[in-house]
Amino acid sequence: MATTRKSRKRLWIILSAVIVVLIGGGVVAAKTLGGNTKLDPTQLAKVETGDIARSVVATGKVWPITQVEVKSKASGIVTRLDTDINAHVSKGEVLAQLDQQEILDQVAAQKAQLTAAESMAHSAAAAVEFDKVAAEAPDLPMLQHGYDRALEMSKDGVVSKQALDDAQQKYLAAVNVRDKATAQIKVDIAKQHQA
C-alpha cells in the first residue's frame, strides 16, 4: 500500500511539472507571436467617400508584345516605297522597289559567265573529239610497216642507215603523238566536266 501511495504521489508530481511547462511554453509563444504591434500613425487615415484618381509617372521603354523586323534579301537603292510605318500589309504585297539597274547588270554578268562556261564546255568537247582522232593514229600502221620494210631492206644493204633512222624516227614520233593524245583525252574530259 505504501508503494502504491508513493507511485501515485510521483505521478501527480510528474503531471504537475508537465502542466507547468506546457502553460509556460504557451505564455512565451503568445508573447512572441502576438506581441504588441503598434501601427505607424502616418499609415492611418480617416475613411472618406469620393472618386479615386491617381496618376503614375515612370520612365523607361515600352516594348511591343510582338516585334517583327522586315528585311530584304536583296540590297540596293530603294527607288519606290509603297507602304508606311505601322501600315497593315499582307503576304505577297510589294512594299518597296529597288533600283533595278544594278540587279540587271548582275544578271547580265552572270549570263556572260554562263555563256563563257558553255563555250569552254563546247571547246573541251571538241578537244576530246580531236584527241580521240589523234589517239586512233590512222597513219601509225603505215609508218610501222615502212619502218619494218626499211629494217628488212637495211639488212639486205639496199637502204642506207640514214633512211632507216628516218623511218624509225617517224614511227616513234607517231607512237608519241598517239600516247600524248590518249593522255590528253583524260585532261580534256576533266576540263569539260569543270566547264
Side-chain angles (χ1 to χ4, degrees):
M1 186 145 157
T3 52
T4 55
R5 268 192 196 172
K6 282 185 182 179
S7 62
R8 279 188 186 174
K9 194 174 187 182
R10 263 192 206 154
L11 181 63
W12 281 107
I13 290 174
I14 292 174
L15 278 175
S16 299
V18 170
I19 290 173
V20 168
V21 169
L22 287 176
I23 291 174
V27 169
V28 170
K31 282 195 173 190
T32 304
L33 296 176
N36 290 340
T37 305
K38 291 187 178 181
L39 295 175
D40 185 13
T42 59
Q43 299 295 321
L44 298 175
K46 290 182 181 180
V47 177
E48 299 175 351
T49 59
D51 293 337
I52 297 176
R54 298 242 175 187
S55 64
V56 176
V57 177
T59 59
K61 294 183 179 180
V62 177
W63 294 99
I65 294 172
T66 304
Q67 184 173 356
V68 178
E69 195 170 322
V70 178
K71 291 182 179 180
S72 172
K73 290 182 182 178
S75 62
I77 299 170
V78 176
T79 58
R80 194 177 83 217
L81 189 62
D82 294 337
T83 188
D84 200 6
I85 297 173
N86 294 328
H88 290 282
V89 294
S90 58
K91 183 177 179 180
E93 183 179 342
V94 176
L95 303 178
Q97 182 176 352
L98 298 178
D99 182 20
Q100 294 183 357
Q101 187 59 45
E102 185 178 338
I103 295 170
L104 292 175
D105 291 344
Q106 290 176 359
V107 169
Q110 294 297 324
K111 283 183 179 178
Q113 286 181 357
L114 175 64
T115 303
E118 288 174 345
S119 175
M120 287 177 65
H122 291 307
S123 174
V128 168
E129 292 303 318
F130 177 79
D131 291 336
K132 283 182 180 177
V133 170
E136 289 175 3
D139 56 343
L140 188 62
M142 186 179 75
L143 291 173
Q144 183 178 8
H145 178 67
Y147 171 65
D148 291 341
R149 190 174 59 174
L151 188 61
E152 289 294 322
M153 291 172 72
S154 172
K155 289 178 185 176
D156 292 338
V158 179
V159 174
S160 68
K161 178 77 171 146
Q162 181 65 37
L164 177 64
D165 290 343
D166 288 344
Q168 182 182 14
Q169 180 186 8
K170 286 180 184 178
Y171 171 68
L172 292 177
V175 169
N176 285 339
V177 167
R178 180 196 66 195
D179 293 344
K180 180 182 173 188
T182 303
Q184 189 65 34
I185 289 173
K186 294 178 183 175
V187 173
D188 290 336
I189 287 173
K191 286 181 182 179
Q192 186 179 12
H193 288 302
Q194 182 181 13

